[in-house]
Amino acid sequence: MRSLERSDHPVPTVNIILKNEKDEILLTRRNVGPFKGSWILPGGHIDVQDDSAEGTAIREVKEETGLTAVLTHLVGVKTNTIDPRSPFIFKVIYEARVDSGLLTKNVEVDDFRWLPLDKARKEKLGFDHHEILKLYSTKKDYLLPIERSRYTEWYGKTFPYAQTEYPRVACMGIILNEKKEILLGLKARKPFADHWNFPGGHMYVNETPEECLARELREELEVKGDVGELFGVYSDKGQHPKHADIGVYYFAKLHSQRFVKNIEMKDFAYFSLDHLPEKIAYQNRMVLNDLKKKIENSK
């Protein structure tokens, strides 16, 4: 992994909890700094031209272990400051199972170890991987399915993004009223001016995703909100016309319905998921379709 230098936005990465047929977790021994000699989970940074964060996870497992992985669940997201290469890192964490291949040592990894979760948590782990396994241990029976709608038009192709470093992380709010109608804001500025969008915006260093969304709700709606459960992560190449974006969607509840129009949003409205407006910003219609399916399946 190259040096992760970023000043204003977090560097996005993935980590993978890779399991075998015995339900053991793969740890790799790091052969380069930082944390050389420590046991860690497979993972790495998300490139601008990766098809998605899921694609990054599969690529990193192959590069670091020689194995082909199949992702099974989204464990969650978190931030990390325990990395001397970057002051602030954003992580998407996946659970996966081995599909094929043989473990192969390489420049970054000089040994492997399969361990049950309880024993893996007792190892001397590098970076923040103790925290990742702790998070996994509390959520492993309630993980989010990996299935989601995907924007695949640019998969396998080069998208002409303006930036060449790393994707940006955007935290978006799913706000439903008692009728299960969705709150959307009418964008006032490009890109997608006069299109309807979820309230939210880009994450900065030194804030968690939940803090980011709470800030964005205050800025775009001028009301306070409580950030709830994670709904999903959408990161397909080309979903934003200018920047490679990783969209992190949370359920949220507002303290007030007295929204204030501003330079970002010039109108607000609740819409039935069966009768959405024609102009939806970015590729958010697929998020809305997934939300509708979730609500229907929960009845």
Side-chain angles (χ1 to χ4, degrees):
M1 183 186 292
R2 63 181 180 270
S3 177
L4 305 179
E5 290 297 335
R6 195 76 176 265
S7 58
D8 53 348
H9 298 282
V11 174
T13 66
V14 297
N15 278 114
I16 305 95
I17 298 170
L18 183 63
K19 306 180 81 172
N20 62 14
E21 69 281 356
K22 298 179 182 179
D23 213 34
E24 297 170 322
I25 292 171
L26 180 65
L27 298 180
T28 66
R29 191 167 67 187
R30 190 165 170 81
N31 195 37
V32 294
F35 293 98
K36 183 176 181 179
S38 295
W39 293 95
I40 64 170
L41 300 164
H45 66 268
I46 302 172
D47 284 334
V48 167
Q49 293 299 335
D50 282 342
D51 289 337
S52 64
E54 293 95 332
T56 303
I58 293 170
R59 172 177 60 78
E60 287 290 342
V61 169
K62 185 68 174 180
E63 291 176 356
E64 295 185 0
T65 72
L67 300 174
T68 300
V70 175
L71 303 185
T72 56
H73 293 89
L74 173 64
V75 176
V77 298
K78 71 181 296 294
T79 54
N80 169 36
T81 58
I82 311 173
D83 193 325
R85 297 166 299 177
S86 176
F88 207 75
I89 289 176
F90 169 85
K91 296 190 169 191
V92 187
I93 305 161
Y94 294 103
E95 180 192 62
R97 62 175 175 82
V98 176
D99 184 52
S100 61
L102 297 173
L103 288 171
T104 305
K105 298 177 183 179
N106 53 74
V107 174
E108 291 191 21
V109 177
D110 67 359
D111 203 0
F112 305 96
R113 184 178 293 173
W114 291 102
L115 291 174
L117 175 60
D118 58 343
K119 291 186 178 180
R121 291 185 62 188
K122 296 177 182 178
E123 289 292 320
K124 179 184 177 182
L125 303 181
F127 302 103
D128 63 338
H129 293 193
H130 272 296
E131 296 177 12
I132 291 176
L133 289 184
K134 180 180 179 180
L135 173 67
Y136 179 66
S137 69
T138 62
K139 297 183 63 176
K140 63 185 180 68
D141 295 325
Y142 307 95
L143 300 178
L144 296 171
I146 200 67
E147 293 84 8
R148 66 170 179 84
S149 297
R150 284 176 168 77
Y151 178 63
T152 60
E153 181 178 337
W154 287 90
Y155 276 25
K157 304 174 184 177
T158 299
F159 191 88
Y161 286 126
Q163 93 270 38
T164 58
E165 286 185 304
Y166 301 101
R168 298 173 68 180
V169 179
C171 301
M172 314 302 289
I174 296 174
I175 299 162
L176 299 168
N177 63 15
E178 65 280 356
K179 299 178 182 179
K180 300 299 182 183
E181 295 171 328
I182 185 72
L183 176 66
L184 300 176
L186 188 62
K187 283 176 58 65
R189 299 195 294 187
K190 296 180 180 180
F192 292 102
D194 296 315
H195 286 61
W196 294 90
N197 193 31
F198 291 95
H202 286 107
M203 182 178 170
Y204 294 100
V205 297
N206 298 323
E207 64 180 358
T208 66
E210 294 87 352
E211 290 169 343
C212 168
L213 179 55
R215 171 180 57 77
E216 288 289 343
L217 293 177
R218 292 193 302 270
E219 292 176 359
E220 293 194 348
L221 305 177
E222 295 203 17
V223 299
K224 293 182 179 181
D226 297 322
V227 180
E229 294 181 358
L230 178 67
F231 174 71
V233 174
Y234 291 74
S235 54
D236 301 313
K237 186 191 304 180
Q239 64 185 16
H240 190 296
K242 295 174 62 178
H243 305 284
D245 258 13
I246 300 167
V248 185
Y249 292 77
Y250 286 93
F251 290 103
K253 292 185 177 181
L254 302 179
H255 294 187
S256 169
Q257 297 293 313
R258 296 179 180 178
F259 310 134
V260 179
K261 299 176 183 180
N262 53 73
I263 60 172
E264 295 285 346
M265 297 291 190
K266 61 181 181 180
D267 202 3
F268 309 94
Y270 281 95
F271 294 92
S272 165
L273 291 168
D274 291 317
H275 299 92
L276 293 167
E278 180 180 351
K279 292 184 177 181
I280 300 291
Y282 308 101
Q283 301 301 325
N284 277 326
R285 191 172 294 275
M286 62 184 182
V287 183
L288 292 163
N289 289 338
D290 288 349
L291 176 62
K292 180 182 177 182
K293 292 177 185 177
K294 179 180 178 65
I295 292 175
E296 290 174 345
N297 292 336
S298 65
K299 291 179 180 179

